[in-house]
Amino acid sequence: MQVTDNQLKFIDQYLENSGIKYLDIRYEMTDHIATALEEKEGVFYDEFQAYMVKNKAELLSSAKKFSKAATIRAFKMLVKGLVKPQFYIVATILFTVALLLNQRGYNDAVFTGFTILYFLLCGVIFSSYVHMVVINKKPEWSGVNRFHYAAALTVYILFLAVKPQTIFTDDIYLFLYYAVIISFVVMIISSYLKLKKMYKLRFNE
């Protein structure tokens, strides 16, 4: 049988009513169930009921597996962003502007600007998480939550904990380092927006 969009929504609603609160886990589970049902020849609702009677307990207990799959999908999206021209364009622009300002004697201003830009971008990530969890009170994205934590930890290590000033003695290398890190944060935000858009289009939310 061919599973329709309305039937996909029905499966998603069933999983939500069964206690699966994260949208991306339901996304993975819905695809898993739909794939199994498409191998059947009967009526959708009859086949769905029979499938859930047999597999519901095991399916719901494997939520962690689906959460891991959603997390991997989120990071694959980020990795794809890092090999696209946009990442290198942003890094090149930041590095070029830093060099031009340095040549004019604004060396301290360059580092101040990098720091401010970094914290502004991190503020965007933090505010999006607060809006999702505190204001909407709907932590819908398991993959995005883990994505937030891992990305924030990575950026913290690369920008603050590593202390690149002690590693790079030449300002040019420092400029390049900061340009790449800030471009990385931009890609994190871009990946988050794409991931959210993908889910919204998938379930028309």
Side-chain angles (χ1 to χ4, degrees):
M1 76 172 76
Q2 179 66 40
V3 178
T4 67
D5 289 342
N6 286 335
Q7 290 167 345
L8 288 172
K9 292 177 185 177
F10 174 84
I11 298 172
D12 175 67
Q13 187 63 52
Y14 178 91
L15 292 173
E16 184 176 13
N17 293 338
S18 299
I20 306 299
K21 63 179 181 177
Y22 288 113
L23 181 58
D24 47 354
I25 296 180
R26 299 203 311 270
Y27 178 90
E28 297 290 342
M29 286 185 169
T30 298
D31 275 356
H32 179 78
I33 295 170
T35 299
L37 293 178
E38 285 180 344
E39 297 177 357
K40 310 293 183 181
E41 298 295 336
V43 178
F44 168 79
Y45 293 103
D46 293 339
E47 294 291 353
F48 174 75
Q49 184 178 21
Y51 179 88
M52 294 309 295
V53 167
K54 182 179 180 180
N55 298 285
K56 182 177 180 180
E58 180 182 354
L59 189 66
L60 296 181
S61 67
S62 64
K64 288 184 178 180
K65 179 185 72 174
F66 290 98
S67 179
K68 181 179 179 180
T71 303
I72 292 174
R73 172 178 284 155
F75 278 97
K76 281 184 177 179
M77 189 172 291
L78 174 60
V79 171
K80 288 180 180 179
L82 295 178
V83 298
K84 288 183 177 179
Q86 292 89 329
F87 172 75
Y88 300 98
I89 290 172
V90 172
T92 300
I93 291 174
L94 290 172
F95 181 62
T96 302
V97 170
L99 286 180
L100 292 174
L101 291 174
N102 180 62
Q103 291 175 0
R104 294 178 178 272
Y106 297 108
N107 192 50
D108 291 338
V110 171
F111 290 114
T112 300
F114 273 136
T115 302
I116 292 174
L117 182 57
Y118 166 78
F119 282 109
L120 283 175
L121 291 171
C122 287
V124 172
I125 298 174
F126 176 75
S127 62
S128 68
Y129 182 78
V130 170
H131 183 270
M132 178 176 62
V133 176
V134 179
I135 298 177
N136 287 344
K137 296 182 179 179
K138 292 176 65 178
E140 296 175 333
W141 324 99
S142 169
V144 173
N145 285 356
R146 295 187 181 189
F147 184 73
H148 268 106
Y149 297 145
L153 178 62
T154 301
V155 172
Y156 171 79
I157 291 174
L158 293 176
F159 196 89
L160 297 177
V162 168
K163 299 188 182 303
Q165 295 89 341
T166 62
I167 300 175
F168 304 108
T169 56
D170 193 320
D171 285 347
I172 292 179
Y173 292 112
L174 271 176
F175 294 159
L176 181 60
Y177 182 88
Y178 289 133
V180 170
I181 296 304
I182 290 174
S183 299
F184 176 66
V185 178
V186 171
M187 290 300 105
I188 290 175
I189 296 173
S190 175
S191 297
Y192 166 77
L193 294 175
K194 288 179 181 178
L195 192 65
K196 188 173 181 179
K197 181 180 179 181
M198 180 183 71
Y199 291 142
K200 284 192 172 184
L201 288 175
R202 183 68 176 80
F203 293 105
N204 293 321
E205 297 219 348

